Amino acid sequence: MRPIRIGYLNYESFLSKDKCPAMLVFGAVWDAQSRNLFSDLDYYAKKYDKKIRIGFVEYEYASDIFTENNITKLPTVIIFEDGKPFKTLEGTCSRDTVESFIRHFFGFYP
């Protein structure tokens, strides 16, 4: 499954869809660190298919979602469980850091 671009219209349905946890990456196209993390989203979506849904929110298209989630640093990764924020990772992070973040909080090792 491919990562899903999240906007105002699909934000609530993305988080409430089935019991599968969701990971949202908040960033901006003008931020180099966000672009680097956005480029890894296909990798996470393929590796963790059917275990966690992957989405991304771009500030330029959905700034209210940033405000709703109190996003102050770019990029920010939030894992949601049952539609609620479960854990947050802020700032620059490598692929390994994000994978450890996923594994640690959900306890699965693909």
Side-chain angles (χ1 to χ4, degrees):
M1 175 173 247
R2 295 195 48 92
I4 299 169
R5 178 190 253 176
I6 303 301
Y8 304 111
L9 298 177
N10 65 347
Y11 175 68
E12 292 296 328
S13 65
F14 179 80
L15 293 181
S16 63
K17 191 175 183 179
D18 61 47
K19 293 289 183 182
C20 187
M23 181 177 89
L24 282 180
V25 176
F26 293 82
V29 295
W30 46 263
D31 178 60
Q33 297 169 6
S34 297
R35 285 194 313 268
N36 288 340
L37 190 52
F38 287 162
S39 69
D40 285 337
L41 293 181
D42 281 331
Y43 168 80
Y44 302 126
K46 288 176 188 169
K47 183 166 184 175
Y48 298 103
D49 188 32
K50 297 186 177 137
K51 294 179 178 141
I52 189 167
R53 286 176 289 113
I54 309 291
F56 62 99
V57 183
E58 294 172 306
Y59 182 79
E60 297 79 9
Y61 301 106
S63 59
D64 287 352
I65 296 172
F66 276 69
T67 304
E68 183 179 325
N69 286 284
N70 299 314
I71 304 301
T72 58
K73 288 186 178 180
L74 294 179
T76 294
V77 180
I78 301 178
I79 294 180
F80 292 82
E81 189 171 46
D82 297 325
K84 307 249 186 285
F86 182 70
K87 194 65 180 169
T88 303
L89 179 65
E90 296 180 321
T92 305
C93 47
S94 68
R95 183 182 281 190
D96 290 340
T97 304
V98 175
E99 284 198 68
S100 294
F101 179 68
I102 294 168
R103 288 189 205 117
H104 180 265
F105 295 104
F106 288 97
F108 58 79
Y109 298 90

